[in-house]
Amino acid sequence: MWLNNNVTEFILLGLTQDPFRKKILFVVFLLFYMGTLLGNLLIIATIKTSQALGSPMYFFLFYLSLSDTCFSTTIAPRTIVDSLLKDASISFTECIIQVFTFHFFGCLEIFILILMAVDRYVAICKPLHYMTIMSRRVCGVLVAIAWVGSCVHSLVQIFLALSLPFCGPNEIDHYFCDLQPLLKLACSDTYMINLLLVSNSGAICTVSFLMLMVSYIIILRSLRNHSADGRRKALSTCISHITVVILFFGPCIFIYTRPATTFPMDKMIAIFYSIGTPLLNPLIYTLRNAEVKNAMKKLWRKKVVSDDRK
């Protein structure tokens, strides 16, 4: 199928062609990406080494940070390098791989957020059965299902991309490969493919967002029966989750639930969910979570002590 295409590489037009603005973007993207790696890897290391963070909530938070790290890595490093080049290009094979990894880790993040909402629902609404329902084995199976579901979603994206014939212009008006900008370069009618795209990515984003909002409404309503201290603690956790959900799903729904039309703001919105949200997630979860902050302090003290002994 690949051999039917006359295009072997694509030119990425990026966010701007102005050399000075490219240098600014280089600095901004580099800082954002380094912050993303530092924040998420710190959470991963803290949860992995702390015995106090052994509950299912932190089990899912570990995988959320992992998916954030990988999700950002599929876009940011190449974008950083491309901002230093006069003409940025990407081969057809690399483009397809980027489509797969971007959607795989993006979808994995969606599923993990759903699992975190399920965990909070069981913890708040069925506290007496929490450890039985959300056992380590159950959590492991749920995460495995999330990985498989993400793989299926990404494979659908790949099949859609490979079914597109490219025989003319090869300039992608974006800073990474995705199906929407690729649809504009196809040499055939893309109505059905666009419909499948909306049915796949758009439906996952919209349905997941609605499910999450409904679940948190149920959780918040059930808090009326809790003590003031329990209500405050649960509310703090839920607000963190709701903030992450809105920041991630808002831009995704805007991009993936409409026909194959592009707006000038699309690239800026894509920056927000592909680069910005993975950076904000660790900030939101650590700044609002005393247990994570205390575990990080203990991890830091252990490192300082071990360094002193050397």
Side-chain angles (χ1 to χ4, degrees), residues 52-221:
L53 304 180
S55 68
M57 180 176 74
Y58 298 112
F59 178 79
F60 294 132
L61 180 57
F62 172 89
Y63 283 101
L64 180 67
S65 294
L66 179 63
S67 64
D68 270 334
T69 303
C70 297
F71 182 61
S72 181
T73 301
T74 63
I75 304 297
R78 185 176 187 92
T79 304
I80 292 168
V81 173
D82 288 347
S83 63
L84 297 176
L85 304 175
K86 184 179 179 181
D87 296 311
S89 63
I90 184 171
S91 70
F92 186 84
T93 303
E94 289 175 315
C95 184
I96 294 299
I97 292 172
Q98 192 174 61
V99 170
F100 177 85
T101 54
F102 179 75
H103 281 271
F104 178 84
F105 291 110
C107 189
L108 180 61
E109 180 159 349
I110 289 174
F111 290 152
I112 295 298
L113 288 171
I114 291 174
L115 293 181
M116 293 178 79
V118 171
D119 173 71
R120 289 303 84 200
Y121 169 79
V122 177
I124 294 170
C125 299
K126 299 181 182 294
L128 298 178
H129 305 286
Y130 177 65
M131 295 311 298
T132 303
I133 297 174
M134 302 302 294
S135 66
R136 195 76 175 180
R137 183 174 179 275
V138 170
C139 292
V141 171
L142 290 175
V143 169
I145 292 172
W147 280 79
V148 173
S150 301
C151 187
V152 171
H153 163 73
S154 298
L155 287 174
V156 172
Q157 302 297 304
I158 292 299
F159 290 142
L160 292 176
L162 292 177
S163 66
L164 294 171
F166 302 104
C167 53
N170 67 335
E171 292 185 343
I172 297 178
D173 188 17
H174 217 304
Y175 62 94
F176 67 91
C177 280
D178 202 1
L179 271 181
Q180 284 88 346
L182 286 176
L183 284 171
K184 294 182 67 177
L185 304 181
C187 305
S188 64
D189 182 20
T190 59
Y191 175 79
M192 284 304 300
I193 294 178
N194 182 62
L195 191 63
L196 290 171
L197 173 63
V198 173
S199 301
N200 186 18
S201 298
I204 287 177
C205 290
T206 305
V207 173
S208 299
F209 178 74
L210 292 175
M211 285 173 56
L212 287 166
M213 287 297 100
V214 169
S215 68
Y216 281 116
I217 289 172
I218 295 172
I219 290 171
L220 293 174
R221 283 176 60 87

Side-chain angles (χ1 to χ4, degrees), residues 202-263:
I204 287 177
C205 290
T206 305
V207 173
S208 299
F209 178 74
L210 292 175
M211 285 173 56
L212 287 166
M213 287 297 100
V214 169
S215 68
Y216 281 116
I217 289 172
I218 295 172
I219 290 171
L220 293 174
R221 283 176 60 87
S222 70
L223 290 177
R224 294 177 300 179
N225 303 323
H226 288 65
S227 65
D229 185 58
R231 192 161 52 237
R232 185 170 56 254
K233 185 177 179 180
L235 190 61
S236 177
T237 303
C238 288
I239 288 175
S240 297
H241 293 191
I242 292 170
T243 303
V244 170
V245 166
I246 293 174
L247 290 175
F248 183 77
F249 281 93
C252 288
I253 290 173
F254 178 80
I255 295 291
Y256 292 108
T257 57
R258 66 171 199 258
T261 55
T262 56
F263 300 114

Side-chain angles (χ1 to χ4, degrees), residues 260-271:
T261 55
T262 56
F263 300 114
M265 68 182 76
D266 284 0
K267 287 188 278 188
M268 295 304 298
I269 292 174
I271 287 176

